Amino acid sequence: MIILIVSLFRTLILFITVMIGVRLMGKRQIGDMSPNELVVTILVSQIATIPLQDMNQPVINGVVSIFFLVVMELVLSVLIMKFGTFRKVVNGAPAIIIKQGKLDQKAMERLRITVDDLQEELRQQQVFDIEEVYFGIVETDGKLSIMLKNDSNSVAVPVICDGAYQTDFMNKMGIDLLEVEQRLAERRLKREEVFLMTLDSKGKATVIKKEGKI
Amino acid sequence: MKRLWWVLALLVLISLPITAGIITVNKFEDEMLECISLAEKTISSEDYKSAKKYAEKIEDTFAKKEGVISLFADHEMVENIGVSVARLSSLATKETASEFLGECQSAKIMLRHLVNDQLPLMHNIL
């Protein structure tokens, strides 16, 4: 029975380790998870249970592995933040499956979304007729964002993120690069100086300048 | 960036037990192997009294280091070495000399296994 005390201490050590790890990984971990965050979370939970189940395993093995996963997650988050291409490779990019009321069947096929899946997702958002949807975007976490035809809001598309043109989105939405450059010239700004620039369907541009090192 | 400093701090934190583990286990292996070799030599030269003394020394060394080694190595593996070295002193007689040598071989293999399991070799990684 005294082994239970050992077990309690091991549990306490691993609990503290996982808590520190989750805190270091940041608040995003608790909310919607990107693929890398999901992988790290699954691995951390699995690794933490090994020394708990197998008393022959030194606790330090679990602690070191968990902290190393946290290190990898932190490095990955820095790379994702700094490099757009890397971000796309790891997290993917949002995909438009309904554009101006029209279904993009190729995009649906690529994302392996069936019509049933789409209708189910729409119903969950209180939309019972696909005809009502003007824009439907599958986000990187797999959730569907929709804009209805009678919605007074306009769709704002990111055209520059962290000083880089979002050509994929611009092409999908039919936004001309010259138009974006013209808008920047009007504001006497260079692309590199822009943190975020969006262009909505009504032609309104929103520009947020870079504040310095992020 | 703050996150990179955390990365650095965690890497230092991780490298500490790893380095300590490698040094401790290697040192333990060296000490134990040296004592076991001496015990083997003495029993081969039919000096059973000295062999018994060496066997007791091996047991003492193991008892002293067992706690620290268990921090870094598989507990079952460490216990098996303990069981093996504990038998040595009772086997240090003329009648059981061959069993003594066999037990020494067994302990040596387990000790080498303990160290080899830690090495960053392909068969350990995969």
Side-chain angles (χ1 to χ4, degrees):
Chain A
M1 276 299 118
I2 204 132
I3 192 88
L4 287 175
I5 300 168
V6 178
S7 187
L8 288 179
F9 276 111
R10 287 167 76 95
T11 309
L12 181 72
I13 293 166
L14 286 160
F15 174 75
I16 293 167
T17 309
V18 175
M19 280 300 290
I20 294 170
V22 172
R23 282 293 294 123
L24 285 174
M25 282 189 276
K27 286 195 175 81
R28 262 171 67 90
Q29 195 64 27
I30 300 154
D32 297 328
M33 282 186 264
S34 58
N36 60 305
E37 289 165 340
L38 183 70
V39 169
V40 170
T41 309
I42 292 169
L43 285 177
V44 165
S45 59
Q46 289 293 315
I47 288 169
T49 55
I50 295 169
L52 291 182
Q53 287 175 337
D54 185 1
M55 296 292 273
N56 286 319
Q57 286 293 319
V59 172
I60 199 87
N61 283 2
V63 174
V64 165
S65 301
I66 289 167
F67 279 142
F68 190 63
L69 280 171
V70 174
V71 165
M72 285 200 290
E73 167 58 19
L74 289 174
V75 171
L76 215 60
S77 68
V78 171
L79 292 174
I80 284 170
M81 203 173 166
K82 286 275 168 199
F83 306 104
T85 320
F86 190 75
R87 184 164 51 233
K88 268 186 198 165
V89 171
V90 176
N91 288 345
I96 302 162
I97 57 165
I98 304 170
K99 186 181 169 187
Q100 289 163 342
K102 280 185 183 172
L103 266 178
D104 187 340
Q105 293 179 25
K106 277 185 183 170
M108 281 178 69
E109 201 180 316
R110 203 173 53 246
L111 296 168
R112 278 164 284 164
I113 296 173
T114 62
V115 181
D116 291 337
D117 294 334
L118 178 64
Q119 283 182 322
E120 191 182 321
E121 195 67 41
L122 290 173
R123 282 196 298 273
Q124 280 172 5
Q125 300 199 33
Q126 308 303 314
V127 178
F128 293 89
D129 186 359
I130 206 163
E131 285 282 305
E132 292 174 37
V133 185
Y134 188 59
F135 264 106
I137 300 168
V138 178
E139 305 295 351
T140 52
D141 60 1
K143 284 181 184 165
L144 180 71
S145 303
I146 54 162
M147 185 196 175
L148 299 176
K149 279 179 181 167
N150 58 2
D151 203 332
S152 56
N153 294 325
S154 55
V155 180
V157 178
V159 288
I160 299 175
C161 285
D162 212 1
Y165 285 124
Q166 302 300 297
T167 42
D168 273 7
F169 243 111
M170 285 160 66
N171 291 339
K172 281 174 193 167
M173 301 296 279
I175 296 167
D176 193 11
L177 186 67
L178 280 172
E179 191 189 340
V180 179
E181 283 174 349
Q182 196 184 336
R183 296 296 182 97
L184 283 177
E186 282 168 17
R187 288 170 168 80
R188 289 177 187 172
L189 281 170
K190 285 179 186 168
R191 175 178 56 87
E192 296 80 18
E193 296 169 333
V194 179
F195 180 62
L196 176 70
M197 179 177 173
T198 60
L199 209 59
D200 70 16
S201 48
K202 289 174 184 168
K204 190 189 155 202
T206 307
V207 181
I208 300 168
K209 274 175 72 176
K210 275 187 187 176
E211 284 176 354
K213 277 192 173 180
I214 299 154
Chain B
M1 286 180 77
K2 202 177 160 188
R3 266 179 293 182
L4 289 177
W5 285 112
W6 273 114
V7 167
L8 197 69
L10 282 174
L11 284 176
V12 172
L13 199 73
I14 291 168
S15 62
L16 288 177
I18 291 172
T19 315
I22 291 169
I23 293 170
T24 314
V25 174
N26 281 346
K27 210 175 156 188
F28 172 73
E29 187 213 18
D30 289 345
E31 263 180 70
M32 291 288 284
L33 285 181
E34 199 187 324
C35 286
I36 292 170
S37 298
L38 287 169
E40 279 177 323
K41 271 182 196 167
T42 49
I43 202 120
S44 299
S45 58
E46 296 180 357
D47 183 358
Y48 303 110
K49 210 175 170 184
S50 302
K52 197 173 172 63
K53 271 185 187 173
Y54 278 122
E56 282 164 359
K57 196 186 168 193
I58 293 165
E59 215 177 322
D60 279 352
T61 312
F62 178 80
K64 276 180 199 163
K65 301 277 172 72
E66 190 190 2
V68 186
I69 295 301
S70 294
L71 287 177
F72 307 105
D74 187 283
H75 297 182
E76 202 177 350
M77 208 183 275
V78 178
E79 278 161 23
N80 287 341
I81 296 168
V83 171
S84 188
V85 297
R87 294 185 65 201
L88 287 177
S89 61
S90 62
L91 294 172
T93 59
K94 193 179 179 181
E95 296 77 33
T96 55
S98 58
E99 279 181 59
F100 183 92
L101 289 168
E103 206 58 60
C104 283
Q105 275 303 316
S106 165
K108 276 161 84 173
I109 289 167
M110 282 190 279
L111 280 163
R112 287 196 186 111
H113 198 54
L114 191 73
V115 174
N116 288 342
D117 265 7
Q118 292 193 6
L119 298 174
L121 298 171
M122 196 56 87
H123 65 266
N124 284 336
I125 294 167
L126 297 177

